[in-house]
Amino acid sequence: MTAIDLRPATAADSEYCFQLHRAAMVDHITSIWGWDEGTQRGFHASAFTPDRWQIVTADGTDVGMLHVEHRPTEIYLARIEIHPDHQGSGIGSLLIRGLLRQARRQGQDLALDVLVVNERARALYRRLGLHEEFRHGENNIKIRMTTKPSGPERDEPERNEEAAQGRHAGDSAG
């Protein structure tokens, strides 16, 4: 069994994270905007925050990165990238399942954004129980996915409580 761990990112990981991003995302970014090395390096320079990023390791070898934000009502998976050589081996699933457990323990939802063109990631997130909440960004190129119940399911606890008390929605309590 492969040992999967997380270690804090350091400033020295900047180039690794950029090369990882290129390897994992170049096809998706190219299909939407085209890949411009200078532009992508600029985005990376502004986004790379080693105090908030973690490096994913498998048996001591760097294989990916993780950036999670703990917000008041949700855990937001801001970024997860696994090197293509290690995708499909269960590393991403393992990490996301851990976040799902943490969110459940804390009574929160897990949320993330994924590019519409990243079908493989979308399929993984659906298999793990997330669903599309809405689309956003230029030409709706991003999908917000969440564990938050959608539609009528949000009201289920209230309806179940009312039914247990012998009332129906719309009946007066008095």
Side-chain angles (χ1 to χ4, degrees):
M1 178 76 183
T2 302
I4 306 301
D5 287 306
L6 296 171
R7 67 168 177 82
T10 67
D13 291 311
S14 180
E15 185 62 21
Y16 167 76
C17 288
F18 178 76
Q19 295 300 328
L20 170 67
H21 180 66
R22 179 191 293 139
M25 298 299 295
V26 68
D27 292 341
H28 306 303
I29 291 170
T30 299
S31 73
I32 297 171
W33 299 285
W35 182 273
D36 178 88
E37 189 78 7
T39 299
Q40 292 302 316
R41 283 198 175 274
F43 287 147
H44 174 73
S46 65
F48 182 66
T49 49
D51 58 323
R52 292 188 292 184
W53 290 24
Q54 295 177 294
I55 303 300
V56 181
T57 65
D59 290 332
T61 301
D62 295 348
V63 298
M65 65 77 54
L66 185 69
H67 175 196
V68 178
E69 297 176 5
H70 295 271
R71 297 177 174 177
T73 62
E74 68 185 10
I75 296 175
Y76 180 71
L77 178 53
R79 184 182 276 185
I80 182 171
E81 292 177 354
I82 305 298
H83 193 280
D85 292 347
H86 298 276
Q87 290 177 4
S89 63
I91 296 169
S93 295
L94 179 80
L95 295 169
I96 295 168
R97 281 189 187 106
L99 292 172
L100 288 165
R101 282 191 300 275
Q102 180 183 9
R104 276 192 299 275
R105 279 194 312 267
Q106 296 175 357
Q108 294 183 310
D109 298 307
L110 178 65
L112 57 86
D113 290 301
V114 60
L115 293 173
V116 170
V117 297
N118 194 343
E119 293 286 340
R120 188 173 181 184
R122 290 170 52 198
L124 170 65
Y125 303 146
R126 281 191 301 271
R127 279 194 311 273
L128 294 173
L130 285 88
H131 63 272
E132 182 174 331
E133 186 174 28
F134 58 86
R135 293 179 181 223
H136 63 103
E138 176 187 340
N139 297 318
N140 286 326
I141 58 169
K142 294 181 183 179
I143 299 173
R144 170 65 53 98
M145 297 186 77
T146 183
T147 57
K148 184 186 312 179
S150 60
E153 297 170 15
R154 289 184 189 186
D155 297 331
E156 280 301 317
E158 291 175 13
R159 280 202 298 266
N160 289 340
E161 185 177 314
E162 289 171 347
Q165 294 175 2
R167 296 193 310 259
H168 299 284
D171 290 351
S172 66

